[in-house]
Amino acid sequence: KYKKLFEPFKIKELEIKNRFFFPALGLSIVNNDGTFANDTMEYMVRRAEGGAGLLITGIHFVEMDIEKKSVWVAPCPRTKPHGYKMVAGEMIERVHAFGTKMFVQLGPGFGRAIYPKFLNGTCVAPSETTNRWDPSITCRELTTEEIETIVRNFAESAVISKECGFDGVEVHALHEGYLLDCFAMSFFNQRKDKYGGDLKGRLTFAIEILQAIKAACGEDFPVILRYSIKSYIKGLDQ
């Protein structure tokens, strides 16, 4: 009855052995240098041992300077690339031993959804607004130049990830009220530059990220995008 679930399929030239995906989870077990902790590695290897065709890591941030965080809540490939490659490479090799493929999930940051205890500086957003958890905290509007920097950081992070041996990239996009999600919503995006305006303008950030990764990693390198079909935000903090 469920034979199709066990059949292989392809994303570009990458063959995945079955239709079972293990989606990204917020496994906030990270070493102080931004690399995977051993517990995270072992957890993912066990998922491969269980037979999943594709694993996707929890979110990895592409930068730590524009949105400054007080603790390592997720890895960042660009912070210490050499150490990141060594640890990630070992994990990927062990996952591949079970015939399982692995994608890295990359994201631009929390935006207004950041927990205040994770914040080490000013909260950022598409336009000035308040923090999701503490309305007394004001989120400043990102500059056009900062957004363009984040786009370049996505491409750089994707290249590092490809060099590690990851089989593809998932972009954490229009999902869960994080930074890139807020860009898509007119409620939070009142910008007047190329990253605001109508829906096409509000999606420019996400589109430029995909284009930058493809340009840096090649057209055959798989890139998928995580998004929500419907947003259930009715109003500020509702």
Side-chain angles (χ1 to χ4, degrees):
K1 186 177 178 181
Y2 303 108
K3 182 180 177 181
K4 196 72 177 176
L5 293 176
F6 295 89
E7 293 180 2
F9 74 104
K10 283 188 174 183
I11 302 176
K12 283 287 189 177
E13 298 305 311
L14 178 71
E15 182 169 289
I16 299 172
K17 66 180 182 180
N18 58 41
R19 312 300 174 103
F20 290 95
F21 278 35
F22 184 79
L25 291 178
L27 300 173
S28 300
I29 313 170
V30 187
N31 294 323
N32 291 329
D33 58 355
T35 59
F36 291 95
N38 189 63
D39 284 351
T40 299
M41 185 188 304
E42 295 299 328
Y43 184 87
M44 299 305 288
V45 171
R46 288 295 299 275
R47 305 287 77 75
E49 185 180 6
L54 175 64
L55 307 180
I56 303 176
T57 70
I59 194 167
H60 292 202
F61 294 122
V62 300
E63 67 88 28
M64 297 287 286
D65 299 317
I66 296 172
E67 181 184 82
K68 296 183 183 296
K69 303 168 189 69
S70 59
V71 292
W72 282 104
V73 294
C76 179
R78 296 177 53 258
T79 302
K80 293 185 177 179
H82 180 68
Y84 178 88
K85 288 178 184 179
M86 287 183 62
V87 178
E90 178 185 346
M91 178 178 64
I92 295 163
E93 184 176 356
R94 293 177 64 191
V95 165
H96 282 173
F98 294 100
T100 299
K101 301 299 190 291
M102 193 169 196
F103 285 12
V104 60
Q105 186 188 75
L106 299 177
F110 288 107
R112 72 179 295 268
I114 192 169
Y115 292 110
K117 67 179 181 179
F118 293 163
L119 191 63
N120 183 30
T122 306
C123 192
V124 298
S127 301
E128 185 174 305
T129 186
T130 55
N131 177 263
R132 166 66 181 85
W133 309 103
D134 184 352
S136 69
I137 298 175
T138 299
C139 305
R140 70 170 179 84
E141 178 175 300
L142 287 166
T143 67
T144 304
E145 291 74 20
E146 285 175 327
I147 299 169
E148 291 171 342
T149 297
I150 294 172
V151 171
R152 291 193 295 272
N153 290 345
F154 261 97
E156 184 179 336
S157 298
V159 169
I160 294 169
S161 301
K162 184 179 180 181
E163 291 171 349
C164 290
F166 280 110
D167 301 291
V169 164
E170 177 178 80
V171 177
H172 186 293
L174 318 182
H175 166 67
E176 218 171 271
Y178 284 10
L179 183 59
L180 200 51
D181 195 18
C182 285
F183 267 84
M185 291 184 269
S186 58
F187 192 86
F188 297 112
N189 187 343
Q190 302 293 322
R191 302 180 68 89
K192 303 302 181 184
D193 62 1
K194 64 179 178 176
Y195 296 109
D198 61 10
L199 181 60
K200 183 178 180 180
R202 300 197 305 273
L203 294 177
T204 298
F205 191 7
I207 292 169
E208 286 188 354
I209 288 168
L210 298 179
Q211 291 171 336
I213 293 174
K214 284 291 186 179
C217 295
E219 283 297 316
D220 288 336
F221 187 64
V223 181
I224 61 177
L225 182 140
R226 181 168 182 167
Y227 69 98
S228 300
I229 294 174
K230 181 176 176 65
S231 174
Y232 287 90
I233 293 178
K234 297 178 179 180
L236 193 64
D237 301 331
Q238 295 182 320

